[in-house]
């Protein structure tokens, strides 16, 4: 009989870009001296590795679990791989463990390598799992969206001997895009055109109050409307712009001048509303996976928040 269990609760609080809602997952991880079980809604158990009996401390057990998470999962079994109830839930649990901010980066890389090394050897599993990673970690509408984990995954797969040059080229493009405009770096510059025909650029834009709210938008994007309306109707933001405490630069990136001109009448007074002649997209200067894409910059155009939800940006402005 096992005398005791250690219990770790990992709670994920994730949000969807373009949607003002949170989804929570409570994952109960039981560590014993010789086994691990993660139970969610009493569904079938994932084949977790057996913990060495000499591992007595919770952190040591957690480390072992991360490094050996997929050891007993048979990626050669196509039926098992296609069992979304088991495979995808197991992957979600894995994400929760890897996303823990207390983990050392090297440990997270070990965990990602454990997953990639196991699945990449089998063609069907590789196809299913690579799509699964894209869907969960890189889709901005996923509650598990995580650029940091996704970047580490891309770095690992670029070392894979199982991928051809064409596939690696796609992964390299995504990795380069993710690495741009990270917090603390100066945002990528681009030229834009004002409604009166005058031209300017991001880096030459004057900033009031040391805060620049950079918004990439598309008035023809249905999912943009709720967030854009929220910003437009936000009295606190309106007052901050009027009082010179923040500058809003709204950039239309889609290239249809007529659509942009029609949108001007709906934009708030005091915002700088411009079009970029498709420069941002054609040069892949920013990762515009979903609209609106919102960045918060300081007066020197250094990124404070990257591709963030408006609620997060608002909190940073009015803290």
């Amino acid at each position: 009989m096992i005398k005791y269990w250690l219990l770790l609760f990992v709670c994920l609080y994730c949000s969807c870009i373009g949607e003002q809602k949170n989804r929570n997952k409570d994952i109960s991880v039981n560590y014993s001296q010789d086994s691990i079980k993660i139970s969610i809604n009493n569904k079938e158990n994932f084949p977790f590795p057996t913990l060495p009996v000499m591992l007595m401390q919770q952190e040591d057990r957690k480390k072992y679990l991360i490094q050996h998470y997929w050891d007993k999962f048979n990626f050669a079994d196509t039926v098992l791989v296609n069992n979304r109830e088991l495979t995808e839930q197991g992957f979600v649990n894995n994400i929760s463990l890897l996303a823990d901010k207390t983990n050392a980066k090297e440990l997270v890389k070990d965990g990602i390598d454990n997953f990639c090394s196991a699945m990449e050897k089998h063609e069907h599993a590789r196809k299913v799992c690579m799509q699964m990673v894209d869907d969960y970690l890189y889709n901005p509408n996923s509650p598990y969206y995580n650029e940091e984990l996704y970047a580490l995954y891309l770095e690992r797969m670029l070392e894979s001997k199982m991928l051809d040059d064409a596939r690696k080229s796609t992964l390299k493009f995504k990795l380069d895009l993710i690495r741009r405009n990270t917090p603390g770096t100066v945002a990528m510059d681009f030229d834009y055109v004002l409604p009166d025909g005058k031209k300017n650029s991001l880096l030459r834009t004057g900033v009031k109050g040391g805060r620049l709210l950079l918004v990439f938008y598309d008035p023809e994007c249905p999912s943009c409307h709720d967030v854009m309306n929220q910003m437009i109707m936000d009295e606190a933001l309106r007052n901050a712009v009027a009082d010179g405490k923040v500058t809003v630069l709204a950039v239309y990136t889609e290239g249809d001048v007529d659509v942009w001109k029609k949108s001007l009448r709906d934009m708030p007074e005091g915002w700088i509303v411009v079009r970029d002649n498709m420069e941002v997209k054609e040069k892949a200067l920013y990762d515009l996976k979903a609209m609106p894409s919102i960045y918060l910059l300081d007066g020197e155009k250094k990124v404070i928040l990257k591709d963030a939800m408006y609620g997060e940006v608002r909190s940073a402005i009015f803290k």
Side-chain angles (χ1 to χ4, degrees):
M1 294 290 295
I2 297 171
K3 295 182 178 180
Y4 62 90
W5 294 86
L6 295 175
L7 183 64
L8 170 67
F9 289 100
V10 182
C11 299
L12 300 180
Y13 299 97
C14 304
S15 57
C16 301
I17 293 176
E19 299 178 25
Q20 299 298 318
K21 63 181 180 180
N22 291 321
R23 302 178 187 177
N24 298 333
K25 286 284 185 182
D26 293 331
I27 301 174
S28 174
V29 186
N30 297 316
Y31 301 84
S32 75
Q33 288 183 319
D34 59 358
S35 67
I36 303 169
K37 291 183 180 179
I38 297 185
S39 58
I40 297 186
N41 299 327
N42 295 320
K43 295 176 182 177
E44 56 185 311
N45 286 323
F46 182 89
F48 290 99
T50 301
L51 286 170
V53 294
M54 71 283 297
L55 297 181
M56 303 297 295
Q57 299 301 316
Q58 180 175 335
E59 282 304 309
D60 291 336
R61 294 171 184 170
K62 178 184 176 185
K63 180 178 179 180
Y64 186 90
L65 171 59
I66 288 175
Q67 292 175 328
H68 299 272
Y69 188 92
W70 297 94
D71 284 4
K72 289 189 175 182
F73 190 92
N74 184 8
F75 284 100
D77 185 342
T78 58
V79 174
L80 177 62
V81 171
N82 290 338
N83 183 346
R84 295 184 61 181
E85 192 71 28
L86 187 63
T87 305
E88 293 195 23
Q89 189 61 67
F91 181 70
V92 167
N93 296 347
N94 194 199
I95 291 173
S96 74
L97 293 169
L98 295 176
D100 185 346
K101 295 298 184 181
T102 65
N103 292 329
K105 184 176 180 179
E106 289 304 313
L107 177 58
V108 177
K109 291 173 70 174
D110 287 346
I112 291 173
D113 180 66
N114 176 246
F115 171 69
C116 294
S117 296
M119 65 84 169
E120 69 182 351
K121 301 172 185 176
H122 309 281
E123 184 177 359
H124 178 72
R126 185 169 67 247
K127 179 181 178 180
V128 170
C129 291
M130 292 185 71
Q131 184 62 55
M132 184 170 62
V133 175
D134 285 352
D135 291 342
Y136 277 89
L137 295 182
Y138 193 53
N139 183 345
N141 292 320
S142 165
Y144 304 98
Y145 175 75
N146 190 316
E147 271 197 359
E148 293 181 17
L149 289 182
Y150 191 68
L152 292 176
Y153 156 78
L154 291 175
E155 290 174 357
R156 168 57 182 80
M157 291 307 292
L158 283 171
E159 299 175 357
S160 176
K161 297 180 180 179
M162 304 299 174
L163 302 182
D164 59 27
D165 291 341
R167 189 62 191 273
K168 286 188 176 182
S169 178
T170 300
L171 299 184
K172 180 66 163 55
F173 175 81
K174 289 182 178 179
L175 183 59
D176 290 343
L177 202 53
I178 288 174
R179 285 173 171 169
R180 292 175 183 167
N181 307 298
T182 56
T185 65
V186 176
M188 299 289 290
D189 195 21
F190 58 88
D191 296 326
Y192 60 75
V193 180
L194 292 148
D196 62 5
K198 293 181 180 179
K199 297 180 179 180
N200 202 353
S201 71
L202 174 65
L203 295 186
R204 294 199 304 268
T205 301
V207 178
K208 298 178 181 179
R211 290 292 182 268
L212 176 63
L213 185 55
L214 175 61
V215 183
F216 297 103
Y217 79 103
D218 176 9
E220 293 189 319
C221 167
S223 63
C224 298
H225 295 163
D226 288 345
V227 178
M228 290 299 293
N229 286 337
Q230 183 182 356
M231 297 174 64
I232 291 170
M233 300 301 294
D234 189 339
E235 184 177 355
L237 179 61
R238 183 165 58 249
N239 292 337
V241 171
D243 295 341
K245 296 179 179 179
V246 63
T247 298
V248 179
L249 177 64
V251 185
Y252 174 67
T253 61
E254 303 308 301
D256 190 323
V257 177
D258 290 335
V259 169
W260 173 66
K261 287 182 177 180
K262 289 180 182 179
S263 76
L264 295 176
R265 64 192 177 201
D266 299 322
M267 304 302 275
E269 182 179 353
W271 286 24
I272 305 172
V273 185
V274 304
R275 58 184 174 87
D276 76 327
N277 289 329
M278 296 289 289
E279 182 180 1
V280 169
K281 280 196 167 183
E282 290 180 354
K283 294 183 179 180
L285 301 179
Y286 290 77
D287 191 1
L288 305 182
K289 294 188 293 294
M291 291 289 195
S293 185
I294 306 173
Y295 289 70
L296 181 63
L297 314 181
D298 67 13
E300 303 301 319
K301 313 302 187 309
K302 287 185 179 180
V303 178
I304 299 173
L305 292 174
K306 174 186 177 182
D307 199 12
M309 293 185 68
Y310 178 59
E312 182 183 4
V313 172
R314 191 181 188 281
S315 296
I317 293 175
F318 300 113
K319 64 181 178 180

